[in-house]
Amino acid sequence: MQKITKEMLIDKATELLNNGTVSLVLGWKKGEYDYDVTPGVFESVEELKKDFVFGDFSAANLSKYLVKKTEKLEGKILVFLKPCDTYSFNQLLTEHRFDREKVYAVGVQCDGMVDIEKVKKIAGDGILSVDCNGEDIVVKTLYNDDMTIAKADVLAERCANCKSKKHVAYDELLGESGEVIDSNRFDEVEKLEKMTADERFAFWQNELSKCIRCNACRDACPACTCEKCVFNNPNSGVENKSPANSFEEKLFHIIRAYHVAGRCTDCGECSRVCPQNIPLHLLNRKFIKDINEFYGEYQAGAEVGSRAPLVDYTLNDLEPGEVFDRGDENA
Amino acid sequence: MRKIVLEKIDLLFEAISNTMSLYLPVDQNDGKAAYTKWEEGKKWSEALNTVKSPKDFFFPQTEDMMEFKVEGKNIEVIDTRKASEDFVVFGVRACDVKAFDILDKVFLVDPCDSYYATKREHGIIVAVACNKPSETCFCSAFGIDAADPKADVSAWKTENELYLQANTEKGEKLLKALENVTEEATEEKVTEQKEQIAKIMKKLPLADLDTSKFGGGKTDEFFNSPEWEELSESCLGCGTCTFVCPTCQCYDIKDFNTGNGVIRYRCWDSCMYSDFTRMAHGNNRNSQKERFRQRFMHKLVYYPENNEGIFGCVGCGRCVSRCPISMNIVKVMKNLGGKENE
Ligand code: SF4
Ligand code: SF4
Ligand code: SF4
Ligand code: SF4
């Protein structure tokens, strides 16, 4: 497999800007360090040359930005999408959140993204540079000798359990597109299912009590694109900025998980952005797993226009009574 | 100056806990530290700092202010303020100690905020020097000395010992009460440690961050800077930066309907939110760019303007490491005029 470099993306973007296919480029901008990459818009080749980066820290899923960035756009915007991002892209299209005609999508081959927190756990704090060279990562820090770490050991959770290397949407591909993967992403969910109701409650109580209600999970989530979230609407009666009491704090997450059930593509952004490292993806994966078991395999965003089982009806659908009985079993 | 060997540090914690609550950074199951009440078995974290700052102790994320009970035509107003007892917050870093000063200037000026003041009176802070600052630290840009944190008690961790020095009456009282578990010490090791830290501070990637462009009176210079557009373009408006920040001080006051009355509480607010300072006529900051600008202008221009030039940021680096899109005050400072000094 060929290695995809940032130069290849810059060349592609330059070509598409120069030949007039697109007027803007949505990509990743370099930061202060090697790992703090920011999503951003580029208007010119000069800007691309100056700040564009692509690499093991281009984790941010850019698809949700298309909603805002295409609103008043004349012409087209180029967006780079990793395989998992293409599922979000399709799901947004299914929900008519942006105009496909305004977007030129380039699928980018992905070898997995690195989690800087995991790097720090091994190499220590005081990171001076992180050099990603395929399989190995060389880390320089203030306090330890240079260290070479296997990339596999510091992959982001969602990448270690990648569900698909296949790009389900693109106008053009850079590098290769892979296959849907039979991943281990439900292993952790199964562990939770095996717990007693009390243990499970304690698990989530412990995790969710850390929540600071910053809403980063919701704000980064490509399935959360309501113009005004009910939790931000002072007229809704449930608007809140802070975990006023633990009841509210837990409900927020359960309501959100229900709201995105069947629409969540398992892109992993919620867990990635949570400042408190709450494993939010486990809530969503529980829904995905249940949907798969009850209604047959369904992957949100695999194709544009598919009807999620929870908003569809077929004669084979599970009877509510079966769900009820199952609740009893797990009590 | 007093000292205790690190092996016996739990004796110190136990001795404090015998008379009052003690809070200190403890590792959570995700490996990140959070202030936790000490009890036997809890270990003081090795982490440089906590994800959430210690401002919670004095300005909690949510806090009941009063309660109203309705019975027929009567409304009873209940004061929910509790008499606070003394407590110790141990292991606070120099940046976070300085952040308390910044909050004091907001909450303790006339009219004094009694909720905050009571807790502040009862809180005893033990600050610890930073042996291994992170690449995201830039306290020195704001004149803070990570090697010499000034709180009720200052502490230094050397290889085998913890040195303690009282700076205030409260601190002296605390150390006096701990005389049984600590021993008299000289300053040599501490001086060495301070020199060591000073050397590291110079090597930090943000050691030369320049603040001289900012300060009071600079509103006109920066308010309409073209850079705000690009800096804020991908901000999610999540407010993570404001909630992890030790100096962000804005709050909202809300009513919670209890069925037969109301609990009036306050909770942290964020200038990054769409209903922040919303008034009857609507909102005066309608775009994320305006909200984003507010946060940084407040720290770098408005706060110093009202507080003798003191900046509203202490360089703790929390917003640097926790923002989901890696946008932060450092990038703002460098792009809004710090660039030529890089
Ligand atoms: S991102 Fe994490 S801390 Fe913030 S609201 Fe979501 S779960 Fe809570
Ligand atoms: S700057 Fe970052 S942390 Fe702050 S609101 Fe914007 S996205 Fe969230
Ligand atoms: S603005 Fe950022 S660096 Fe400054 S005190 Fe707040 S969280 Fe820390
Ligand atoms: S910013 Fe300074 S005081 Fe704060 S943790 Fe870093 S080195 Fe210590």
Side-chain angles (χ1 to χ4, degrees), chain B residues 36-145:
Chain B
T36 310
K37 190 169 175 176
W38 188 83
E39 55 192 27
E40 228 186 296
K42 298 266 186 231
K43 287 268 160 288
W44 179 23
S45 168
E46 295 278 330
L48 176 70
N49 219 340
T50 50
V51 176
K52 262 183 116 178
S53 85
K55 80 175 169 191
D56 255 295
F57 289 110
F58 308 106
F59 173 41
Q61 185 162 14
T62 53
E63 173 173 38
D64 290 350
M65 307 195 85
M66 61 191 80
E67 203 178 329
F68 306 96
K69 277 225 170 83
V70 185
E71 250 185 65
K73 286 194 172 164
N74 292 328
I75 301 180
E76 189 193 348
V77 183
I78 303 164
D79 189 345
T80 52
R81 276 174 294 189
K82 290 184 203 85
S84 201
E85 287 175 356
D86 286 354
F87 61 97
V88 172
V89 188
F90 179 94
V92 180
R93 298 300 182 186
C95 51
D96 290 346
V97 171
K98 182 68 199 239
F100 296 143
D101 288 349
I102 290 172
L103 297 179
D104 286 352
K105 287 187 192 302
V106 176
F107 289 109
L108 298 183
V109 290
D110 194 38
C112 174
D113 185 311
S114 58
Y115 298 86
Y116 178 88
T118 315
K119 298 188 197 82
R120 207 60 180 100
E121 262 162 45
H122 287 280
I124 306 163
I125 316 277
V126 181
V128 180
C130 306
N131 293 353
K132 287 183 167 183
S134 170
E135 76 274 11
T136 52
C137 294
F138 55 105
C139 52
S140 57
F142 298 106
I144 299 165
D145 187 356

Side-chain angles (χ1 to χ4, degrees), chain A residues 159 161-166 179-185:
Chain A
C159 302
N161 291 308
C162 179
K163 64 181 183 291
S164 172
K165 294 272 186 216
K166 181 174 160 186
E179 294 301 323
V180 174
I181 299 168
D182 189 17
S183 78
N184 297 325
R185 64 181 170 136

Side-chain angles (χ1 to χ4, degrees), chain B residues 138 241 244-247 295 299 312-320 329:
Chain B
F138 55 105
C241 48
V244 296
C245 177
T247 68
R295 176 161 197 270
K299 303 239 182 270
C313 169
V314 293
C316 73
R318 285 188 178 84
C319 61
V320 180
I329 196 160

Side-chain angles (χ1 to χ4, degrees), chain A residues 193-208:
Chain A
E193 286 172 344
K194 288 200 183 102
M195 288 180 181
T196 65
D198 285 345
E199 285 166 352
R200 201 160 43 239
F201 188 80
F203 173 84
W204 283 113
Q205 171 117 326
N206 178 40
E207 289 297 344
L208 296 180

